[in-house]
Amino acid sequence: MALSNRAYFASSIGRYRADHTISMSLGQSRNAGLPLLNLVKLKGVPILQQLHLEERLLRTSSDNWCIINDGTNTPTIVMGISGNPTELLEINYVLRDKIPVIKRFTGGGTVIVDHGTIFATFICNKDDVPSVQPYPRPIMSWSSLLYSKVFQGVGDFYLRENDYVFGNHKFGGNAQSITKNRWIHHTSFLWDYEISNMAYLSLPKKAPDYRQARDHSEFICRMKDYLSRSQFINRTIDAVNCHFCVRSMEVEEAELLCDMKFSPSSRLLGKQELGEAVLT
């Protein structure tokens, strides 16, 4: 008798988990001492879909993950969990041009992302990276060491406060969330950007000291002036391999390893919410 859809799906998950365990055990023997990590490469996935996947993996999976998304199709504003649209956005312009605004589940600042943005995310068990204390500053320091390998011989790379910079120009913004046993650190890299999109963002009242009140065009830079998209992605994967035993997988496989029924908290802000922000 043919299996029901539900039984077939459950059976598929069981077979996949068994194969996954065997494969990772073999990989671990080749990279003794390194924690296991799953690598998922995406291209052009909508940022809200990516954020939902990341939160599911953080909260319902027990694996370590690296997710790299090469661009997102629609220009979208993404705010931190405590972001206030009134303070951070030129709301009249946003409403006029119908720019989507997302409030994500992590902290950090406000960015506008599009096809020129490359996203890189790490989701880790704190016990698998015991040298990293599960607090924002140690996680930032760990990430900067990893990316210093990526940008070795390229530009004048630094971690300045909470940003990645070449010299004193920002090209990478970071955000985090820390749970009891796990943490996520994700970065939006400005490989390229549209100057006109910066008009949707207000100058934040709380800004890093090194910004020195510079407007967006004087404060940020393009990563494409230093290396190609493929170079950055390949160098990042090489750097990850120095810290983890890496297994590549498709997004559909990743979805089998988390609870897709979990309701993520990142959400699209409605027109009414943004309109009310104008009136307050």
Side-chain angles (χ1 to χ4, degrees):
M1 182 184 299
L3 291 172
S4 68
N5 288 340
R6 179 176 296 180
Y8 178 80
F9 184 67
S11 176
S12 297
I13 291 176
R15 288 196 303 271
Y16 174 76
R17 288 183 183 275
D19 293 344
H20 174 76
T21 300
I22 293 170
S23 174
M24 295 301 278
S25 296
L26 291 172
Q28 188 177 31
S29 68
R30 290 193 297 267
N31 297 274
L34 293 179
L36 308 178
L37 176 140
N38 301 320
L39 170 69
V40 180
K41 291 174 64 178
L42 308 171
K43 188 172 180 63
V45 169
I47 184 59
L48 185 59
Q49 181 180 336
Q50 178 188 334
L51 289 166
H52 285 175
L53 174 63
E54 289 177 357
E55 189 172 6
R56 287 188 177 106
L57 292 174
L58 173 69
R59 302 194 189 282
T60 72
S61 164
S62 59
D63 291 352
N64 300 309
W65 299 88
C66 175
I67 300 170
I68 299 175
N69 185 13
D70 187 4
T72 190
N73 292 334
T74 303
T76 304
I77 294 169
V78 185
M79 305 174 61
I81 192 170
S82 60
N84 184 337
T86 306
E87 296 179 359
L88 298 169
L89 306 180
E90 297 293 341
I91 297 177
N92 288 324
Y93 296 155
V94 171
L95 291 172
R96 180 196 67 190
D97 296 339
K98 299 179 181 179
I99 304 298
V101 179
I102 292 170
K103 184 165 282 193
R104 65 176 178 264
F105 70 98
T106 56
T110 301
V111 294
I112 182 163
V113 299
D114 59 15
H115 59 87
T117 312
I118 303 175
F119 307 91
T121 298
F122 292 96
I123 302 170
C124 295
N125 294 311
K126 68 176 186 180
D127 290 342
D128 287 332
V129 278
S131 63
V132 181
Q133 292 296 308
Y135 300 103
R137 179 51 54 181
I139 295 171
M140 282 294 315
S141 296
W142 174 85
S143 72
S144 70
L145 291 175
L146 185 145
Y147 284 114
S148 67
K149 296 180 182 294
V150 176
F151 298 111
Q152 187 171 8
V154 178
D156 191 14
F157 173 75
Y158 289 103
L159 169 65
R160 299 200 66 170
E161 300 185 43
N162 294 317
D163 301 331
Y164 299 139
V165 302
F166 289 131
N168 66 346
H169 292 91
K170 175 179 177 177
F171 70 95
N174 301 285
Q176 301 171 345
S177 181
I178 301 169
T179 67
K180 180 180 179 182
N181 297 310
R182 289 163 66 76
W183 50 260
I184 180 171
H185 174 88
H186 50 194
T187 306
S188 300
F189 289 98
L190 296 176
W191 188 79
D192 196 7
Y193 61 87
E194 300 287 342
I195 285 285
S196 58
N197 285 343
M198 298 302 142
Y200 300 118
L201 306 180
S202 301
L203 288 176
K205 293 180 180 178
K206 184 179 179 181
D209 292 339
Y210 81 94
R211 180 166 187 160
Q212 298 178 333
R214 289 176 289 169
D215 65 24
H216 295 299
S217 62
E218 295 178 337
F219 176 54
I220 59 179
C221 67
R222 293 176 171 87
M223 197 166 66
K224 74 173 186 178
D225 293 334
Y226 297 86
L227 73 174
S228 71
R229 296 180 90 120
S230 60
Q231 282 178 317
F232 169 71
I233 291 171
N234 291 335
R235 283 175 174 234
T236 298
I237 294 171
D238 288 345
V240 173
N241 273 285
C242 294
H243 294 263
F244 297 93
C245 173
V246 176
R247 178 187 187 274
S248 294
M249 65 170 58
E250 300 298 321
V251 65
E252 292 82 7
E253 297 177 272
E255 290 172 346
L256 292 177
L257 295 175
C258 64
D259 183 358
M260 293 301 291
K261 294 181 180 179
F262 173 83
S263 296
S265 56
S266 298
R267 64 187 181 89
L268 190 67
L269 298 186
K271 181 178 179 181
Q272 183 176 348
E273 288 180 90
L274 295 173
E276 289 171 352
V278 176
L279 299 174
T280 56

